Amino acid sequence: MKVFIQSIVGQLLLNPYILWCGYQALPPKKYFRIPFVLFFVIELSIFFFGFFFRDVLPDDVMIPILYICGTWYIASLYITLSLLALELLRLTQRVHPWFPRFVTEHWQRAKLALFLGIAIGVAGLMLQAYHTVTHPIVKDVYVTIPKRVEGRDSLKIVLMSDLHIGEMIGKDLVRKYVALSNAQKPDMVVLAGDIMDYESRFAEKAHVEEELRQLRAPLGVYIVNGNHEYRANWQAKRRWLRKTGGTLLIDSVVQPDSTFYLIGRDDFIHKKRKALHALMEGLDTSKPIIVADHQPWSFAEMRMNGVDLGLHGHTHNGQLWPYPLLMKLVYECPYGYYRQGPTQHYVSSGIGIAGPPYRVGTVSELVVLHLRFN
C-alpha cells in the first residue's frame, strides 16, 4: 500500500511526459488522439480514486486498483526511459547528422513507428517481468565451512526471504513456494524475514499459515523478523508467524541438532536488539555458527565474532532495473555469495516482491545452500 501511495510522484511526472510524446507521435486524427488521451484520464482517475479513498475501500476493490495502477506505473518508468533515450539520440542528430535519409524524410512516420515499438516492447517486458515473479528459480549455492563436525559432513538449507505475503502475494504463490522447497528435500528451512507485507489481514483471511505448515525439513523450519514485521500491526504479525509451525527466532540461539548453531537475530530496524557477541556468549566456537539476519548490514560484526555463515535478504537486488546498480552503492554486498575473511554470506534477492508483482533484471529465487564441513 505504501508503494502505491509513493507512486503519486511518478503518476504526476511520467504521465504528462508520455502523453505529450505520444500526442506528438500520433497522426492528427480524432479517432487516434481521443482514445489515447482518454486512457490517461481513466488511469489517473482510478489512481486518485484509490489514493483518496484507500482507507475506506474494501479489499475486493482496492486490490484491482493496486494491480492496474501499479502495472501502469512500472510500465511508464520503462516507457519514459525509452523516450529519453530516443530524445538523446535526436540531440546527437543535431550535433552530427547520422539518421538515414528515409527517417529524416518521413520523420512523422518514424516517430509513430518508434512510439508503437516502445509500447509493444514494454508490454513484452512486463509479461516477462510478471512471469519472473510467478515462476521463481532454484538457486544452488555450494559453501564449504572449514570446521570438522563429528557426525555430520554436510547440511542442505533452503533459504527463502522476502515473501511479502499481502495484497500481491497470496495463498496460491505461497503454495508454489512450499512445493518448491519440499522438492529440494532440505535438512532445514530458514525464512529470513519480511514474511509479511504491510498488513497481516490478508494472510489471516486466506489462512496462508496452512500452506507454510506444509514445509518439510527434519531439522525444522526457522523464521526471523524483517523490517516489514515491524510495520503496521506488528503484534498481530508475530502471533500469526507463530501459527505457521516454524520456530520464530528473535535474538535466539538454537541447535537444530548437536552439530551446529543457528542464531536468529531480530531485525536491524529494532535498535534495542541484542548485540551478536552477547548472543554468542558461551557457545562452542569449534562448531559451525550460522546467523540469519534479514538486513545485510552487520557483516563486520559477524567477522569480528567468528560467524561462519550469514543468511540475509531485504535488498531484492533492487527488484527493477536500474535499481540493482544503486544497490551496489548502498550495500557491501547487495546480492549473492560474498566472503570477507573467515565469514561467508549469502544475500538473497528474495522469492517475493514489494509492490506490484514484477521483476526486471533480477530474479525471484529459492536458495538451496549445500554446506560441506571440512
Side-chain angles (χ1 to χ4, degrees):
M1 186 71 75
K2 186 177 179 182
V3 175
F4 173 76
I5 295 170
Q6 290 172 339
S7 70
I8 187 171
V9 176
Q11 293 279 348
L12 294 176
L13 290 178
L14 304 184
N15 274 343
Y17 178 66
I18 297 170
L19 175 61
W20 179 77
C21 290
Y23 198 84
Q24 299 298 315
L26 288 172
K29 306 288 185 181
K30 287 184 179 181
Y31 53 80
F32 283 114
R33 288 183 168 177
I34 289 178
F36 183 69
V37 173
L38 194 59
F39 169 84
F40 289 90
V41 171
I42 293 172
E43 194 278 332
L44 283 170
S45 298
I46 293 172
F47 177 84
F48 284 109
F49 177 72
F51 181 83
F52 288 114
F53 298 102
R54 62 187 181 274
D55 294 328
V56 296
L57 288 173
D59 292 338
D60 291 344
V61 174
M62 195 64 199
I63 290 176
I65 291 175
L66 291 172
Y67 263 105
I68 293 168
C69 296
T71 297
W72 171 246
Y73 172 60
I74 292 175
S76 68
L77 287 174
Y78 292 106
I79 292 173
T80 299
L81 287 174
S82 301
L83 291 172
L84 290 174
L86 286 179
E87 185 65 20
L88 183 61
L89 291 176
R90 191 180 68 83
L91 291 175
T92 64
Q93 169 73 8
R94 290 184 177 182
V95 177
H96 181 72
W98 60 277
F99 286 180
R101 179 182 294 182
F102 175 81
V103 172
T104 56
E105 291 179 353
H106 302 86
W107 182 238
Q108 189 60 40
R109 290 183 182 179
K111 284 198 300 183
L112 177 60
L114 288 169
F115 190 79
L116 292 176
I118 288 172
I120 294 169
V122 170
L125 179 70
M126 295 297 289
L127 289 172
Q128 178 59 41
Y130 182 78
H131 183 272
T132 300
V133 171
T134 55
H135 294 78
I137 67 167
V138 174
K139 178 75 172 290
D140 289 291
V141 179
Y142 295 87
V143 176
T144 297
I145 293 178
K147 289 183 177 179
R148 189 173 298 279
V149 177
E150 189 68 32
R152 178 180 290 280
D153 62 0
S154 64
L155 181 70
K156 184 190 285 189
I157 302 174
V158 159
L159 169 66
M160 287 190 282
S161 75
D162 301 278
L163 282 72
H164 286 277
I165 300 167
E167 297 100 325
M168 301 292 112
I169 303 293
K171 196 167 187 175
D172 290 341
L173 262 181
V174 173
R175 185 181 299 119
K176 182 178 289 188
Y177 301 161
V178 170
L180 204 58
S181 175
N182 290 342
Q184 312 311 311
K185 301 187 184 307
D187 298 311
M188 182 172 74
V189 175
V190 175
L191 304 182
D194 280 4
I195 314 305
M196 307 185 79
D197 205 54
Y198 290 94
E199 298 285 346
S200 64
R201 69 177 187 274
F202 299 99
E204 291 167 343
K205 287 180 179 179
H207 295 288
V208 179
E209 71 277 2
E210 295 173 353
E211 301 303 324
L212 291 175
R213 285 198 203 108
Q214 304 306 312
L215 285 168
R216 296 289 177 257
L219 296 183
V221 178
Y222 300 90
I223 306 169
V224 296
N225 281 332
N227 54 301
H228 275 253
E229 270 69 62
Y230 281 100
R231 294 181 176 177
N233 48 338
W234 67 270
Q235 291 176 318
K237 290 178 179 178
R238 190 164 295 183
R239 287 194 297 269
W240 183 85
L241 287 172
R242 297 187 191 280
K243 296 178 182 178
T244 62
T247 301
L248 181 59
L249 302 178
I250 305 175
D251 283 340
S252 305
V253 183
V254 293
Q255 281 190 282
D257 67 10
S258 61
T259 61
F260 68 97
Y261 295 100
L262 175 64
I263 300 174
R265 300 202 70 184
D266 203 354
D267 187 65
F268 184 82
I269 201 171
H270 187 200
K271 298 307 178 185
K272 293 185 179 180
R273 72 173 184 169
K274 292 181 181 178
L276 184 57
H277 68 83
L279 293 171
M280 292 181 61
E281 187 175 356
L283 299 190
D284 179 0
T285 55
S286 68
K287 296 180 178 181
I289 298 173
I290 302 169
V291 174
D293 188 1
H294 176 66
Q295 298 193 46
W297 288 116
S298 303
F299 287 5
E301 185 184 13
M302 291 189 185
R303 290 195 292 271
M304 288 187 295
N305 286 279
V307 169
D308 295 294
L309 178 62
L311 306 178
H312 316 274
H314 181 64
T315 68
H316 297 227
N317 192 24
Q319 189 167 319
L320 299 166
W321 190 90
Y323 294 115
L325 304 177
L326 299 178
M327 293 293 104
K328 293 179 180 179
L329 302 177
V330 175
Y331 296 96
E332 185 175 349
C333 173
Y335 171 62
Y337 173 82
Y338 180 71
R339 180 169 190 157
Q340 190 76 312
T343 304
Q344 302 175 77
H345 302 267
Y346 191 84
V347 182
S348 175
S349 62
I351 198 167
I353 43 82
Y358 301 98
R359 279 185 179 269
V360 177
T362 64
V363 294
S364 290
E365 65 178 15
L366 178 142
V367 182
V368 183
L369 292 147
H370 304 266
L371 274 57
R372 288 283 179 185
F373 303 117
N374 183 10

